[in-house]
Amino acid sequence: MLRRRRRSALLAVGLLAGLLAPVTVAAPPATATPSGSKKVIANLWEWNWPSVASECTTVLGPKGYGYVQVSPPQEHVRGNQWWVAYQPVSYRIESRKGTRAQFQSMVNTCHAAGVKVIVDAVINHMSGQDAGGTGWAGSSYQHYTYPGNYQSQDFHYCGRNGNNDIANYGDRYEVQNCELVNLADLKTESDYVRTRLATYLNDLLSLGVDGFRMDASKHMPAADIAAIKGKLSRSTYIVQEVIYGAGEPVLPTEYTGNGDVHEFRYGKDLARVFRSERLAYLSNFGEGWGHLPSNVSSVFVDNHDTQRDVGGVLTYRDRGIYALANAFMLAWPYGSPTVMSSYTYTNRDAGPPSDGNNKTLNTTCYSGWECEHRWPVIANMVGFRNATEGAGVSNWWDNGYQHIAFSRTGKGFITINDEDFAVNGRSYYTGLPAGRYCDVIHGTYDNGSCSGPVITVDANGWFAANVPAHDAIAIHVGARLS
Ligand code: ARE
Ligand code: CA
């Protein structure tokens, strides 16, 4: 079992230092960290546009999510696997998830619900089909020819490993100039390619899009992304996918000058803590564990890749423990959290529920779709995040093992008991104003009433309660009854 040094006393100082950490890489001004008071992102992965729109209105807006992240919207190769979306064929906004008109309507509807839209932007490569074919919207293409967009001179041919594929992640040149699983690798150093990519992103911005998740960012030099960003028509939120790999030369920190970076160590470390270590170790989670500076770090318990391939993370299959891990993420002021929303699957490649033509069906939660972002614990903790925004951590307490507690100073308090036994009759110091608060882990606060247990904080900031095994209690000033 790994032991980590406890540094509770330094916690507030460490977090503060992280928030103030200077951005060191020179690049166009970065819009790092989603702006606005509602910062939690719901990743409605593989949802079609009409379903995203209605979810913005009925769930995401009301629950306080600030952003929705959607799957790649551009034309892609045909097929029923989910990953066809990651093989662009043209930049027409027409895919198995919907038409351009549906996409535009979705953006407008989400905005009206107070939810901004982040698009998964696939700009490192085009398709990986040796035989070529016809794309979703009817565009014909060859592996290295995309009429009207790119010709053979717009791609890298690294000439290594017999097939131009990346084999050695220890070699920077190979990682950025060879092909990721046979995907035709764009010459992102070329001004023509940069301009074409920026034109696509600007088209999305013109439709009202608020940010981009830059797919496969590790496979493009940070300077290439900066150059593309420099061609954008307005400033926008950017989060880059650079999976930290031990010993690899291309590092997540190279990209922080462009915007946020996904911190893949977060989900792995959190899973290990919940599965085989101690929650008590979380008292300095984040920078204290060597993760990216908080203000440029994008975090999640799992994403579509880690729940399938990389492994070692908690997923919807872990049920209650997954909910607790998300509750911790949303309560803990490190990074910008994304809540994953999945469809259930047994075959790694299987696409979401779709019709006979592979067109994605409307989402029906809890029927083929897991909708983790709606799980009451997770959805209610978004309100906790919003209500505690900007408040530091205080009153950290742990029992040395799996029972922890902390306040978000003056705004909220959570205790998580991941022991195999209930802890009954204990009192907790919250430092919160006296009052009756809704326990948002077990109840939903709505319009002044609470559907679950009510926690009474006394005049000295204490409350007494029982916490069952593998359970939690969370209260915050946004869900106070009196
Ligand atoms: C599919 C087939 C392939 C076929 C290819 C072309 O599976 O067999 O050769 O099509 O026909 C997704 C799927 C792939 C799929 C691809 C295109 O996962 O299976 O290929 O779409 O349809 C690396 C990258 C990282 C990447 C992961 C998956 O660094 O950027 O691999 N993640 C993003 C997306 C993926 C997506 C792509 C990129 C491509 O999130 O969903 O692929 O657009 C270590 C390294 C990591 C490395 C990891 C896995 O951890 O540190 O950098 O991640 O190993 O190799
Ligand atoms: Ca590349």
Side-chain angles (χ1 to χ4, degrees), residues 82-84 86-87 122 125 128-129 169 180-183 213 215-216 218-219 241 243-245 248 304-305 309 348:
W82 59 268
W83 43 251
V84 296
Y86 293 91
Q87 297 191 40
V122 184
H125 52 260
Q129 308 298 312
Y169 272 84
L180 173 61
V181 293
N182 203 42
L183 299 162
R213 174 230 183 223
D215 180 67
K218 181 192 281 185
H219 304 281
E241 189 225 11
I243 302 178
Y244 174 83
E248 290 185 22
H304 71 279
D305 284 335
D309 299 331
R348 183 256 181 209

Side-chain angles (χ1 to χ4, degrees), residues 170-187:
D171 183 322
R172 175 184 294 271
Y173 177 87
E174 203 166 305
V175 168
Q176 299 185 326
N177 296 275
C178 289
E179 294 176 353
L180 173 61
V181 293
N182 203 42
L183 299 162
D185 198 60
L186 285 163
K187 267 190 187 161

Side-chain angles (χ1 to χ4, degrees), residues 417 422-426 428 439 442 455 463-468 471-473:
N417 174 28
V423 177
N424 293 330
R426 198 183 173 282
Y428 298 86
D439 169 12
H442 299 98
I455 298 290
F463 74 85
N466 301 336
V467 192
D471 209 328
I473 291 175

Side-chain angles (χ1 to χ4, degrees), residues 10 13 32-33 39-40 66 72 124 134 137 168 176 186 191 201 214 228 264 288 290 300 330 351 384 439 449:
L10 292 177
V13 175
T33 305
K39 301 185 179 179
V40 182
N124 171 65
T134 304
N168 178 10
Q176 299 185 326
L186 285 163
D191 192 58
L201 301 179
M214 300 292 205
I228 294 162
F264 278 81
F300 39 84
L330 291 165
F384 181 108
D439 169 12
S449 71

Side-chain angles (χ1 to χ4, degrees), residues 384 387-395 406-414 429-434 437 457 461 475-480:
F384 181 108
T388 58
E389 181 67 35
V393 170
S394 53
N395 307 320
F406 59 92
S407 302
R408 294 294 303 281
T409 311
K411 301 285 188 187
F413 173 88
I414 186 169
Y429 179 67
T430 69
L432 292 178
Y437 294 81
V457 174
I475 58 178
H476 64 84
V477 294
R480 191 174 160 205

